[in-house]
Amino acid sequence: MDVDRDARSATVWWARPVPPADGGRLVDLLDARERARLDRFRRDADRAAYLAAHALTRLVLAAAVGHPAAELEFDRTCRCGEQHGKPVLLGGPGFSLTHAGGLVGVAVHTGPVGLDVEEERELTDLPALAAHACSPAEAAPDPGSFFVLWTRKEALLKATGAGLSSPMAAITLGPAGVTEWTGDGAPTGPVWLRDLHPGPGYRAAIAGLGTEPGDVRTEDGDALLAQAR
């Protein structure tokens, strides 16, 4: 294995949702907080996506740090001080998880990273969504480009740890990436951004703070989940 190449790389695992009834030992990988959250979902689709995303996160991070997946402990301290913020694995790499439709994804990188995927679909409220997502300097996107814009900006916001609690309209995108980012929480250093292609009918993007990785690799998350069941 080329260790130096791996150190510069970001890796993304894509997988399908897994219903808890079919998950075998995957539920056992979750901690008490995660299992309680899993049980609170009313829709089967939400439970399946949550289980796959969080079990996959534990499996890929366990391989990265050399500890059993079920024993990983996350700090979820929010800016308000409560334990409902973006999870951080102390001493581990940066990571981000996402899901939409029939797809879940996990990204891992040495630095802060954000991953977003959206399922392309008809939008009946495109003008309102565009007003929310576009900066004053950006033209309103057409239906075909809206999900590209959205995934790019959500990935950037996830990389900062703010997520959609910060306004997308504070970010202006150009052909080469971010051209302007204003307001509280805007990064003071460089950011990087790349589009991903997880499959037909989906748009995705990965972003991070700091130096751009030399490579963004894609791995089979379904195989990893199957091995752990």
Side-chain angles (χ1 to χ4, degrees), residues 42-65:
R42 294 185 177 181
R43 295 177 65 245
D44 290 341
D46 293 334
R47 299 181 74 220
Y50 185 90
L51 174 59
H54 285 76
L56 185 59
T57 298
R58 285 182 167 272
L59 290 167
V60 299
L61 290 176
V65 301

Side-chain angles (χ1 to χ4, degrees), residues 31-49:
D31 64 21
R33 180 182 293 272
E34 291 165 336
R35 289 195 295 272
R37 177 74 185 278
L38 178 67
D39 290 341
R40 286 198 295 271
F41 287 111
R42 294 185 177 181
R43 295 177 65 245
D44 290 341
D46 293 334
R47 299 181 74 220

Side-chain angles (χ1 to χ4, degrees), residues 65 67 73-75 87-93 95:
V65 301
H67 294 298
E73 296 184 5
F74 297 95
D75 180 9
V88 175
L89 180 63
L90 298 180
F95 68 95

Side-chain angles (χ1 to χ4, degrees), residues 92-116:
F95 68 95
S96 180
L97 57 157
T98 186
H99 65 84
L103 198 62
V104 303
V106 177
V108 175
H109 182 47
T110 53
V113 66
L115 177 69
D116 187 55

Side-chain angles (χ1 to χ4, degrees), residues 1-226:
M1 179 182 294
D2 186 338
V3 176
D4 291 335
R5 180 176 180 273
D6 283 354
R8 293 193 305 269
S9 296
T11 306
V12 180
W13 284 262
W14 296 112
R16 294 183 295 272
V18 179
D22 301 330
R25 294 174 294 176
L26 294 182
V27 175
D28 297 335
L29 299 180
L30 308 185
D31 64 21
R33 180 182 293 272
E34 291 165 336
R35 289 195 295 272
R37 177 74 185 278
L38 178 67
D39 290 341
R40 286 198 295 271
F41 287 111
R42 294 185 177 181
R43 295 177 65 245
D44 290 341
D46 293 334
R47 299 181 74 220
Y50 185 90
L51 174 59
H54 285 76
L56 185 59
T57 298
R58 285 182 167 272
L59 290 167
V60 299
L61 290 176
V65 301
H67 294 298
E71 296 179 12
L72 298 180
E73 296 184 5
F74 297 95
D75 180 9
R76 300 180 175 88
T77 304
C78 178
R79 286 176 291 183
C80 71
E82 298 296 327
Q83 285 291 309
H84 53 225
K86 179 179 179 179
V88 175
L89 180 63
L90 298 180
F95 68 95
S96 180
L97 57 157
T98 186
H99 65 84
L103 198 62
V104 303
V106 177
V108 175
H109 182 47
T110 53
V113 66
L115 177 69
D116 187 55
V117 65
E118 298 292 335
E119 185 176 22
E120 294 180 304
R121 58 196 183 276
E122 183 178 357
L123 297 172
T124 59
D125 52 353
L126 180 58
L129 288 169
H132 170 78
C134 293
S135 77
E138 292 173 322
D142 58 37
S145 61
F146 174 79
F147 290 107
V148 175
L149 175 80
W150 185 279
T151 56
R152 288 172 177 176
K153 290 195 174 186
E154 185 160 349
L156 287 162
L157 291 171
K158 283 185 174 183
T160 69
L164 293 182
S165 63
S166 291
M168 283 187 172
I171 304 171
T172 300
L173 298 177
V178 178
T179 60
E180 185 178 30
W181 194 330
T182 62
D184 294 339
T188 57
V191 299
W192 56 270
L193 174 65
R194 294 192 191 181
D195 293 324
L196 301 174
H197 305 284
Y202 290 91
R203 294 286 185 172
I206 185 172
L209 309 183
T211 304
E212 185 170 3
D215 188 21
V216 177
R217 296 179 294 164
T218 300
E219 299 287 350
D220 186 351
D222 287 322
L224 194 58
L225 290 171

